[in-house]
Amino acid sequence: MEIIHHGASSGVTGSCHELKLGQHSLLVDCGLFQGREAPSRHDIDFPIYHIRALLLTHCHIDHVGRIPWLLAAGFRGPIYATEATAALLPLMLEDGLKINLGLNQEQCEQFTRVIKSLLKPIPFGCRVDLTWPSGELIHVCFRPAGHILGSAYIEIVLPDGHVAVFSGDLGPCHTPLHVDPVSPVRADTLVLESTYGDQRHHAVTQREACLSEIIQRSLQDGGAILIPAFSVGRTQEVLFDLENLLAKAMQSEFGYPSNQTNWPNIPIILDSPLAARVTEQYLDFQRLWAKEAKQRVYRGRHPLSFDQCITITQHADHLALVNRLKATGEPAIVVAASGMCSGGRIMNYLQALLPDPRTDVILVGYQAEGTLGRQLLAQPELVEIDQNSVEVKAAIHAMSGYSAHADQHDLIQFVAGIQQGPQQIRLVHGEPSSQQALSQNLSILRPECEIITTFT
């Protein structure tokens, strides 16, 4: 067995890993490079004739965004993914084709028809038997990773019994919407993400309180709250918390608390056609939600489809809203893509509202090197958007409690929970400092294990 990394070896985008056994291989993920890691072209720069199948951990674009180029290079093998990932994948790729390649609707539909013909949806916990050209069987199983809807880590059992596990992106524990990842019983070789291998997140329980405080200040002073969020995962978690804050205000024993009397009047705007379609899939797959989220539904709540949430689909309505918020300074909460401020409708809001000191920008996801989101974290006085210099007078907030990635503690606990093995851990999907810090901690936890940092 050999594992070759075609992306996310020294950064956090472009996840693509090849498990080679003899003359044939499996490919795990085929993601797009983003930010500073993005090349001038996204062509597939490795041989694919021997790849028997593509396995997908989840449908974030840094794990699936190079699939169009993979198909253009001639790949027509089966694509295995969980049921929810299979439902979300055509939506994500269609959006990417429009943005990155400028394809029209008919061209996108032609492509998605090909994708759907190759997709093999697999329920969590079900074993898939793949027959190798030698006649031997390889067993594949998808386990919940807790990162976004449908996300999985993948167990691959080779003919000699060796178990290779690819973590994909692991989610943090104790989030109210997504289930917690549970460690595999056995992993001889573990390919482990390390996005936050050198950091600890704020507690999930703190994020709602922080969000409430920012909203209250906005209601008092005016101005918009801008939340750049990925269309899958982060958007739904933000909406989930906003609905809960509104429900708490409305269910107060004596009516609204004195500092929340205006809460029913603040518009919550979802300005992302893709996020709106993804949210529909979240509703269709409620059976995959965590227990707390299901309980709210049983009590008659609508965590992701509440009345106060306004969805903007038409581009003309989007532009009109941007201009209105710029002119009036009225309070509003806007959730829009992209999560790294590297494109999408959030860019128009930022260009219009960053110069207003009443504006709050809440960064709720990882911000890759070279993205505007990463620049905003440094609290600059000026940024460049669409070749225009834009003053930054807005308040910039980073809330790690919304991260969909496991932090250092969660990653260590995931490894600690493996009963048999691993003999080797290959750290990927992390900047060198994150890989190095996690490697040092894992060496203490598992001194008998070989820890490989792939950036070297």
Side-chain angles (χ1 to χ4, degrees):
M1 184 195 74
E2 180 185 5
I3 294 177
I4 306 168
H5 304 288
H6 301 298
S9 57
S10 59
V12 295
T13 65
S15 285
C16 187
H17 313 288
E18 180 181 346
L19 187 153
K20 192 172 184 181
L21 188 66
Q23 299 300 311
H24 299 271
S25 296
L26 296 173
L27 200 63
V28 178
D29 290 339
C30 193
L32 201 67
F33 292 98
Q34 297 171 290
R36 189 171 295 174
E37 300 170 22
S40 57
R41 295 171 60 93
H42 295 286
D43 296 335
I44 300 298
D45 58 358
F46 53 90
I48 65 165
Y49 65 91
H50 60 296
I51 294 174
R52 307 292 299 178
L54 171 62
L55 314 178
L56 300 180
T57 61
H58 65 288
C59 67
H60 271 153
I61 209 70
D62 63 322
H63 288 255
V64 302
R66 268 192 287 172
I67 290 178
W69 286 269
L70 184 67
L71 266 60
F75 177 79
R76 290 296 184 274
I79 301 175
Y80 292 94
T82 67
E83 295 168 300
T85 296
L88 291 169
L89 183 66
L91 305 180
M92 297 297 293
L93 292 180
E94 179 181 322
D95 185 72
L97 289 170
K98 290 176 180 177
I99 294 172
N100 296 315
L101 296 179
L103 301 191
N104 60 36
Q105 188 62 38
E106 182 180 352
Q107 291 170 320
C108 289
E109 288 174 359
Q110 290 176 351
F111 173 80
T112 54
R113 280 197 293 270
V114 175
I115 285 292
K116 290 176 181 178
S117 71
L118 301 177
L119 271 170
K120 309 293 182 186
I122 306 299
F124 281 115
C126 290
R127 194 181 78 177
V128 179
D129 293 338
L130 304 180
T131 304
W132 221 237
S134 62
E136 297 175 304
L137 289 178
I138 291 178
H139 309 303
V140 176
C141 189
F142 294 83
R143 306 286 186 187
H147 177 61
I148 61 170
L149 183 71
S151 63
Y153 66 83
I154 303 176
E155 297 177 348
I156 303 173
V157 183
L158 304 181
D160 63 358
H162 188 98
V163 180
V165 173
F166 291 79
S167 75
D169 288 349
L170 296 174
C173 293
H174 311 305
T175 60
L177 183 55
H178 299 113
V179 299
D180 292 353
V182 176
S183 305
V185 173
R186 177 178 174 181
D188 299 308
T189 299
L190 173 63
V191 179
L192 179 66
E193 70 124 315
S194 58
T195 311
Y196 287 104
D198 59 346
Q199 297 182 38
R200 292 291 300 271
H201 296 327
H202 295 124
V204 172
T205 53
Q206 294 177 353
R207 72 188 194 189
E208 194 176 281
C210 294
L211 187 59
S212 176
E213 183 180 334
I214 295 169
I215 293 171
Q216 185 54 36
R217 191 183 78 179
S218 180
L219 285 168
Q220 292 171 348
D221 301 338
I225 299 170
L226 305 181
I227 307 179
F230 298 106
S231 297
V232 187
R234 224 77 82 249
T235 289
Q236 291 72 35
E237 292 217 45
V238 170
L239 293 178
F240 189 86
D241 277 3
L242 289 170
E243 187 275 341
N244 200 43
L245 287 170
L246 292 170
K248 285 181 178 179
M250 289 186 283
Q251 293 170 4
S252 177
E253 183 178 357
F254 301 104
Y256 289 100
S258 58
N259 66 342
Q260 294 182 350
T261 53
N262 292 324
W263 280 55
N265 300 320
I266 188 168
I268 297 168
I269 299 154
L270 177 58
D271 193 350
S272 169
L274 176 60
R277 296 170 72 188
V278 168
T279 301
E280 292 175 2
Q281 293 296 328
Y282 263 76
L283 295 170
D284 288 344
F285 283 95
Q286 286 185 19
R287 68 180 186 272
L288 300 180
W289 291 9
K291 182 178 179 181
E292 182 178 338
K294 290 178 180 177
Q295 287 176 339
R296 294 186 192 180
V297 175
Y298 297 152
R299 293 196 295 266
R301 299 260 294 276
H302 302 280
L304 300 181
S305 57
F306 49 100
D307 292 338
Q308 206 163 325
C309 183
I310 303 164
T311 300
I312 304 292
T313 55
Q314 298 301 316
H315 192 68
D317 295 336
H318 156 72
L319 293 177
L321 180 59
V322 172
N323 292 331
R324 173 178 169 175
L325 294 178
K326 182 178 181 179
T328 65
E330 62 188 286
I333 301 171
V334 179
V335 184
S338 74
M340 295 185 190
C341 308
S342 56
R345 292 186 175 182
I346 195 64
M347 304 302 286
N348 290 328
Y349 287 103
L350 292 169
Q351 188 164 358
L353 300 176
L354 280 176
D356 189 336
R358 296 171 297 180
T359 301
D360 291 278
V361 179
I362 305 177
L363 300 172
V364 296
Y366 185 83
Q367 307 299 318
E369 286 280 359
T371 61
L372 177 59
R374 188 65 163 250
Q375 293 177 48
L376 289 174
L377 284 175
Q379 308 282 337
E381 294 182 359
L382 289 172
V383 293
E384 187 174 296
I385 301 177
D386 290 337
Q387 299 181 335
N388 296 312
S389 291
V390 178
E391 266 194 302
V392 181
K393 293 186 177 179
I396 311 297
H397 312 269
M399 294 177 61
S400 66
Y402 278 103
S403 175
H405 285 271
D407 66 5
Q408 184 186 83
H409 174 77
D410 291 323
L411 292 168
I412 291 171
Q413 289 306 304
F414 183 79
V415 175
I418 300 172
Q419 297 175 24
Q420 301 176 44
Q423 299 157 12
Q424 182 187 88
I425 299 175
R426 304 178 69 89
L427 297 180
V428 297
H429 204 283
E431 294 175 5
S433 58
S434 297
Q435 290 191 32
Q436 194 63 49
L438 184 58
S439 173
Q440 292 171 359
N441 281 274
L442 291 176
S443 296
I444 297 171
L445 174 68
R446 295 291 174 92
E448 75 289 351
C449 180
E450 179 187 16
I451 314 292
I452 297 174
T453 52
T454 55
F455 70 87
T456 50

